[in-house]
Every structure is written in structure tokens, then in C-alpha cells.
Amino acid sequence: MNTQRAADRLAEEAVGLFEEQMGRSPRWVVAAPGRVNLIGEHTDYNDGFVLPMAIERRVVIAADRAAGSALDGRARLISSAEKAPATIAVDGEIRPGEVHWSSYVQGVVAGCREAGLKPGPFEAVIHSDVPLGGGLSSSAALEVAVATLVEALAGRTLDPIAKALLCQKAEHEYARMPCGIMDQFISVLGEPDRAMLLDCRAQRAEMVALDDPSVTVLIVNSNVKHELTGSEYPQRRAACEEAARILGVAALRDATLEGLDAARERLSEEHYRRARHVISEINRTLHAAEALKGRDWQTVGRLMYASHASLRDDYEVSCEELDLLVEIARSIGVAGGVIGCRMTGGGFGGCTVSLVESRKAEAVREALCRQYGEKTGIEAAAFASRPAQGACVLRRA
Ligand code: ADP
Ligand code: MG
């Protein structure tokens, strides 16, 4: 389906669900996109650089002020992705509670109130085509959509950076996920035909054109998520902090590969390899942004494969299925239309991102899914996306 039609249909479905549940039309419809990170993985919490783009998959919210006074001080939420509806506080003292899907919404409402935006009681239907937990940042899309809705309800907009940071804080405090700033920044600031080079230390975004019609970004969801102990992310963060401390730098952003090698005997093998990934990945990300500007696709592709190898071998956050998808992509190769491929997102499952020749994109998509299915028995989900628009209001009363 044509992507604009898919977006329109998603919004129409959200409106339909709202009408069905609430017995009237929603006064507001807002949307915020998920994202895919082209390169720069596990660099954000090391003060490094990332290079994401917003994707043509989004969270849509249809909403209206609460009818009557039954919802005094609260909002009622329905999500098409969750069985049970939820109620959250919009007034009085708001505090983090047990983590639930509505915690993301609650946290953003709390942050908006701190920023002086009062939504008042409302009813909302959340409808999304960003896969949940697939590494395409459904969580940030949800947060940013909620912030956009609160702006509409309150009749005042936030500074975009403040808006992204408030959403990140909601995820930290209310969903207890110590994420970086990438997901929320790109969901707020995404632009059509542009990727975003984000300096996570300066919190500064530079848009980089990705508008060559001859190349396409292809996202393949492995549809696996390995439930590990759950401590891998904090462990990786701690290893990076320890490596930075030993190297005598504020963050691995400030280290160089030469400095790392000079300090090799002072680092454990594990710390050495974790740091080598981060430092080299930051270099690759900056290099890739330059290559993107010059439409040097061969270089971008080479950097993507190198990123994957580093995540697999040094950072150890890949898994069999992601490695397999990258190997299949590599075997299709330039002759078959694949320029580069890597795992994307936190790892241990989720998606790969590939850069492919547009005229061969459909054949590549078909081959990747078929070969992956034959080898694993798992059905992958794949789609192409152009860089998409950030959060917006689709309908306003
Ligand atoms: P990712 O951001 O990679 O998709 P996360 O684990 O960070 O994965 O976030 C997924 C969580 O976000 C879900 O488990 C759910 O709690 C919440 N979420 C995302 N989208 C929705 C939605 N449409 N409806 C309800 N909750 C959602
Ligand atoms: Mg997330």
C-alpha cells in the first residue's frame, strides 16, 4: 500500500475506534513516528553521535475533552494494542507508579504539567502501526504523540527540544527505562527526506539529506526478542563508564582508538572490546553522515556492515537471527541490490536496517524474508520507508 494511504487509513481507523467507543467524533487527531537508526548504536549514552530517521510508521491518537464530569481530574485511555483500557491522573499530584503501558502517557502528562501545560480531563484512543518492542521505538512515538496531544488540548506548544527531553524524562521516571535522547528527538524533529545527525552531548541535531530516489531504506523485523536477564543494558552502560574512568575521560566520546590501545593493559578484555565498539562506532557515524551528504553509498554500506560486526563481536548485543539476516543481505550483495546492512536498535532481536537500490528493493525484500523463513521457520516482517515527518496535529477542533 502507498504510504500516504496507509497513514490516512491509520488515522481514519483511530477516528472510527474513538467514535465506536465514545459515541462522538474526536476533536483532535495527532501522530508521531517511530524511527530507525541508520548507524550509531549504543553511542548515545556515551555522549556520542547517532544517525536516525523517522519512519513511515506512527502512533496516532484520536482524542477529545472528557464529556461531563465523570472523569474529574483524570483521562481515559484505550489502546488498540492493549486489551484493557486505563485511567491516568491529569490533575493534582502525579507520581510514578507500577510500570504499565499507560505509564508512558502518565509520565508525559506529568512532564507537560510541570512545563505549565494543563490538558484537563480527556478521552483518547491510541492506534499504531509501529511494532511494540521491535526496536523501532514505539515507546518514544507514544510519548511524543501524547505530548503533541497535550499541546493541542492546552492550546500552547512547547519548545521542540524541551518537548523531546520531557518525553525522555517520562520514559526514565515512569517506565523506568534509562534511554538516551535519540528516539524522542527524531520523533519530534524528523523531516521528510532527511536523516538526523544528533550530537547526544550537545543535544544538537543536524539534518542530513537522504533524498536520492535511487536508494531505499529497508527495515526487516526478525520477529524475535530474546528475553535475557534484563540487565544487559545497564551492564553495557556500566562497562562503558568504567572504561571511560580508566581512560581518564568524561565519556567514551572523548577517547580515541590510539588512546584505547595505549591503555590496553589497564583494561580488562571485556572493557577493552566494549570501548572499542563505542569509539569506532562514533567514528563510523560521523563518517557515514559525510558519506550520506556526498551520496557515497558504497562507503555508507561498508560502514553499516562494519557497525554490525562491531556490535556482534565487540559489544556482543546481536543474536543468531540478526546475524543471519545480515549474512543473507551480504550474500544478495551489490549485484542483487544490497548496499549495506546492520542490526539496528538495542539488539538481542528486533530489526535490521538495509540500504538497497530502489529498483531492486522489492526483490531484496522478498529474498530476505524467504531465505530467513527457510532457515529459521520464523516469518520476518519487512517494509521500506522514506525519512518521514516528525510529530504533527492531523485534526484540530
Ligand atoms: P520499542 O520502543 O522498541 O518499541 P519499548 O520496550 O521501549 O520498545 O516500548 C514498548 C512499550 O511501549 C510497550 O510494551 C508498551 O508498554 C508501550 N507502547 C508502545 N506503543 C504502544 C501502543 N500503541 N499502545 C500502548 N502501549 C504502547
Ligand atoms: Mg523504546
Side-chain angles (χ1 to χ4, degrees):
M1 193 179 348
N2 160 313
T3 51
Q4 185 54 45
R5 279 206 352 250
D8 292 346
R9 200 180 71 175
L10 194 73
E12 277 165 30
E13 285 170 358
V15 168
L17 286 168
F18 187 96
E19 288 171 346
E20 204 178 290
Q21 296 291 327
M22 315 294 179
R24 64 188 192 285
S25 277
R27 289 171 67 185
W28 290 278
V29 181
V30 299
R35 61 98 187 95
V36 68
N37 191 19
L38 297 169
I39 196 163
E41 218 65 74
H42 289 280
T43 51
D44 54 349
Y45 51 84
N46 291 293
D47 276 359
F49 290 83
V50 292
L51 189 61
M53 64 176 223
I55 56 173
E56 292 163 316
R57 294 286 182 111
R58 49 191 72 69
V59 168
V60 172
I61 307 182
D64 193 4
R65 294 194 199 290
S69 57
L71 271 180
D72 193 28
R74 287 169 304 153
R76 186 155 76 100
L77 313 170
I78 291 171
S79 166
S80 58
E82 302 282 347
K83 281 198 196 80
T87 306
I88 59 157
V90 296
D91 228 339
E93 198 184 338
I94 302 178
R95 286 228 192 94
E98 208 176 301
V99 177
H100 179 257
W101 68 263
S102 62
S103 306
Y104 297 85
V105 184
Q106 181 70 87
V108 172
V109 167
C112 287
R113 283 189 50 93
E114 273 172 33
L117 267 63
K118 294 187 181 149
F122 66 89
E123 292 173 308
V125 167
I126 299 160
H127 190 45
S128 166
D129 60 1
V130 187
L132 273 66
L136 300 177
S137 205
S138 67
S139 58
L142 175 58
E143 292 148 16
V144 172
V146 171
T148 306
L149 173 64
V150 175
E151 287 177 322
L153 285 160
R156 226 184 81 199
T157 54
L158 294 157
D159 164 71
I161 306 281
K163 180 176 173 181
L165 292 173
L166 162 171
C167 290
Q168 180 207 23
K169 186 165 173 247
E171 185 147 344
H172 285 188
E173 294 181 359
Y174 285 74
R176 305 215 173 84
M177 180 59 189
C179 57
I181 60 169
M182 162 169 66
D183 303 357
Q184 293 80 7
F185 264 66
I186 187 66
S187 188
V188 172
L189 297 169
E191 288 178 26
D193 289 332
R194 288 187 156 77
M196 183 177 84
L197 177 66
L198 177 63
D199 179 337
C200 297
R201 171 174 276 168
Q203 301 188 336
R204 203 167 32 235
E206 180 197 342
M207 303 313 286
V208 181
L210 178 50
D211 58 353
D212 183 342
S214 70
V215 296
T216 296
V217 173
L218 187 68
I219 296 152
V220 182
N221 190 341
S222 67
N223 278 327
V224 297
K225 185 155 183 68
H226 295 290
E227 291 303 339
L228 302 158
T229 62
S231 56
E232 282 74 15
Y233 183 77
Q235 274 169 9
R236 294 299 184 286
R237 283 191 80 137
C240 291
E241 280 164 25
E242 179 60 9
R245 194 189 60 75
I246 296 169
L247 292 171
V249 292
L252 288 178
R253 153 81 173 265
D254 304 308
T256 60
L257 288 173
E258 296 72 37
L260 178 69
D261 273 328
R264 184 159 194 171
E265 66 277 21
R266 287 189 280 127
L267 290 153
S268 70
E269 179 62 19
E270 184 188 327
H271 285 137
Y272 175 78
R273 284 192 291 122
R274 301 294 187 251
R276 184 166 63 181
H277 164 70
V278 173
I279 300 167
S280 63
E281 183 78 354
I282 292 171
N283 293 343
R284 279 187 291 271
T285 306
L286 290 169
H287 192 173
E290 281 312 306
L292 219 59
K293 288 176 194 164
R295 294 192 175 188
D296 178 359
W297 304 121
Q298 220 188 332
T299 298
V300 178
R302 187 173 52 72
L303 292 164
M304 289 173 86
Y305 284 125
S307 168
H308 185 78
S310 178
L311 287 158
R312 180 191 62 205
D313 303 334
D314 275 353
Y315 218 61
E316 296 181 274
V317 291
S318 187
C319 64
E320 252 176 64
E321 293 84 356
L322 292 172
D323 292 344
L324 176 63
L325 279 169
V326 174
E327 280 322 305
I328 297 170
R330 196 196 299 274
S331 72
I332 296 170
V334 175
V338 178
I339 302 162
C341 179
R342 57 183 287 276
M343 59 158 273
T344 185
F348 306 113
C351 296
T352 62
V353 59
S354 307
L355 197 64
V356 302
E357 245 185 278
S358 297
R359 62 194 176 91
K360 293 183 181 159
E362 184 47 33
V364 170
R365 195 189 67 77
E366 192 276 326
L368 272 169
C369 290
R370 181 175 43 75
Q371 292 186 42
Y372 179 73
E374 283 167 4
K375 294 208 166 85
T376 61
I378 304 164
E379 201 178 325
F383 64 96
S385 180
R386 300 211 63 79
Q389 173 67 52
C392 61
V393 178
L394 301 173
R395 180 200 283 193
R396 184 190 299 278

